[in-house]
Amino acid sequence: MKVISIINQKGGVGKSTTAVNLATALSKLNKKVLLIDMDPQGDSTDYSGIMEEQQTTTKEFLLENKINIIKLKSYDLIPADILLADFEILASSEFGREFLLKEKLEENNDFKKYDYIILDCPPSLGLLSLNALVATSIAIVPVKLERFSIKGIRSLNEVIKKVKKANKNLELKILVNGINLGFKHHIENLEIIENQIGKYKLKTQIRQDVSISKSQNETVNIFEFNSKSKAAKNYIELANEVISFE
Ligand SMILES: Nc1ncnc2c1ncn2[C@@H]1O[C@H](COP(=O)(O)OP(=O)(O)OP(=O)(O)O)[C@@H](O)[C@H]1O
Ligand SMILES: [Mg+2]
């Protein structure tokens, strides 16, 4: 069981896109995957095609140890919705509040059957993201090749340094997302990443591909939408790279 956080406090960089499509790609490579939606926006729940309101979500899992695992075609899912936002307040007075997720995953043998547990984190560095980082061995940080996106990596790196005191195994991996080789500023920003944090950069890069937003409109993953798309190929590359870390 390897736990991977898809995390960046910056919004709209492709966390939910990566969580769903990496989960699907890993399952295509015969890995058993659980996706846990850690974001009150519930975007990866939505993108997984779950339309019905769920009584039991990540919130009840973390606070009451109630488990609702939805079995999908490619992976299993613990869903989230806006009520998960209450977690930050409800858990704030709990002892060991950063360790709730880690404890739940370690205590219950049902989770041991998964090869990978993928956590889709919210765009903030609050208690939900901290719970994810504490439980994680690899933090995949998607970044867009835009100035404001790159700027945020440094503050995330600071948080990771702090979390490493409680979780020594945590590794940071930067995923360049939405690259368009025809854009001069993308090439320039890629160079900045190479120079400043190149040692953390994943080999795989996800191309800018309109199939991604189209697949989200239809709430199907990129493979179901168009398995021949650039993005589908990139996500298989990413899954292979992730498997190579074992
Ligand atoms: N490689 C890509 N090519 C084209 N569009 C992309 C790509 N990756 C993501 N997008 C688009 O960028 C937008 C943001 O993606 P996504 O919701 O996955 O980001 P996020 O980091 O999860 O956002 P939030 O911080 O709000 O949770 C979406 O509209 C998505 O379709
Ligand atoms: Mg998201």
Side-chain angles (χ1 to χ4, degrees):
M1 180 185 91
K2 197 155 202 171
V3 185
I4 301 178
S5 280
I6 315 295
I7 190 160
N8 191 336
Q9 78 277 24
K10 177 87 189 145
V13 292
K15 294 182 287 294
S16 304
T17 300
T18 295
V20 166
N21 291 315
L22 175 60
T24 311
L26 284 167
S27 82
K28 292 205 175 288
L29 300 175
N30 296 320
K31 300 295 179 189
K32 188 145 183 58
V33 184
L34 172 69
L35 172 60
I36 305 181
D37 194 345
M38 297 288 289
D39 183 1
Q41 296 182 101
D43 290 346
S44 54
T45 300
D46 182 67
Y47 192 16
S48 298
I50 305 303
M51 299 302 153
E52 318 79 51
E53 203 178 301
Q54 301 291 318
Q55 295 300 322
T56 306
T57 68
T58 303
K59 179 185 164 192
E60 287 73 27
F61 173 48
L62 294 176
L63 292 170
E64 300 163 38
N65 208 10
K66 285 189 194 157
I67 306 181
N68 169 23
I69 294 182
I70 303 176
K71 298 211 174 307
L72 302 169
K73 246 184 274 170
S74 309
Y75 52 87
D76 293 353
L77 171 77
I78 297 184
D81 60 27
I82 191 67
L83 297 175
L84 177 60
D86 297 344
F87 172 80
E88 305 266 344
I89 303 156
L90 292 171
S92 64
S93 56
E94 286 219 17
F95 185 71
R97 53 194 171 272
E98 294 91 357
F99 296 89
L100 293 171
L101 175 65
K102 184 182 166 69
E103 279 166 17
K104 303 281 177 302
L105 294 179
E106 284 176 355
E107 276 165 13
N108 190 327
N109 278 334
D110 286 353
F111 293 115
K112 305 245 167 8
K113 68 177 182 222
Y114 294 105
D115 298 305
Y116 292 96
I117 297 182
I118 295 186
L119 310 173
D120 181 20
C121 295
S124 72
L125 289 175
L127 206 43
L128 284 162
S129 292
L130 281 180
N131 264 274
L133 284 174
V134 166
T136 287
S137 53
I138 301 176
I140 295 184
V141 181
V143 289
K144 284 197 167 166
L145 293 169
E146 311 288 342
R147 178 175 172 79
F148 300 154
S149 181
I150 295 172
K151 245 175 39 180
I153 299 174
R154 211 164 281 148
S155 47
L156 182 74
N157 213 353
E158 289 305 311
V159 175
I160 288 185
K161 267 190 215 153
K162 283 183 199 150
V163 174
K164 269 197 169 182
K165 287 182 188 157
N167 176 6
K168 289 191 186 59
N169 301 326
L170 185 65
E171 266 185 81
L172 175 68
K173 305 278 181 189
I174 305 287
L175 174 66
V176 170
N177 179 35
I179 184 168
N180 183 332
L181 295 167
F183 290 167
K184 192 162 160 264
H185 73 288
H186 276 195
I187 307 295
E188 286 166 2
N189 287 334
L190 190 59
E191 265 175 44
I192 294 177
I193 291 186
E194 286 288 2
N195 292 336
Q196 293 189 357
I197 41 171
K199 65 174 178 173
Y200 297 117
K201 198 170 91 32
L202 288 160
K203 274 195 225 101
T204 307
Q205 301 179 348
I206 312 295
R207 299 279 205 95
Q208 188 176 70
D209 187 347
V210 73
S211 312
I212 285 183
S213 15
K214 288 185 182 169
S215 73
Q216 288 161 349
N217 252 31
E218 297 190 13
T219 61
V220 294
N221 62 65
I222 192 68
F223 299 93
E224 256 179 77
F225 181 76
N226 180 0
S227 61
K228 296 202 162 58
S229 62
K230 278 185 289 187
K233 288 191 188 120
N234 292 159
Y235 275 109
I236 289 289
E237 281 166 38
L238 179 62
N240 274 312
E241 189 170 359
V242 164
I243 290 169
S244 76
F245 299 148
E246 272 170 11

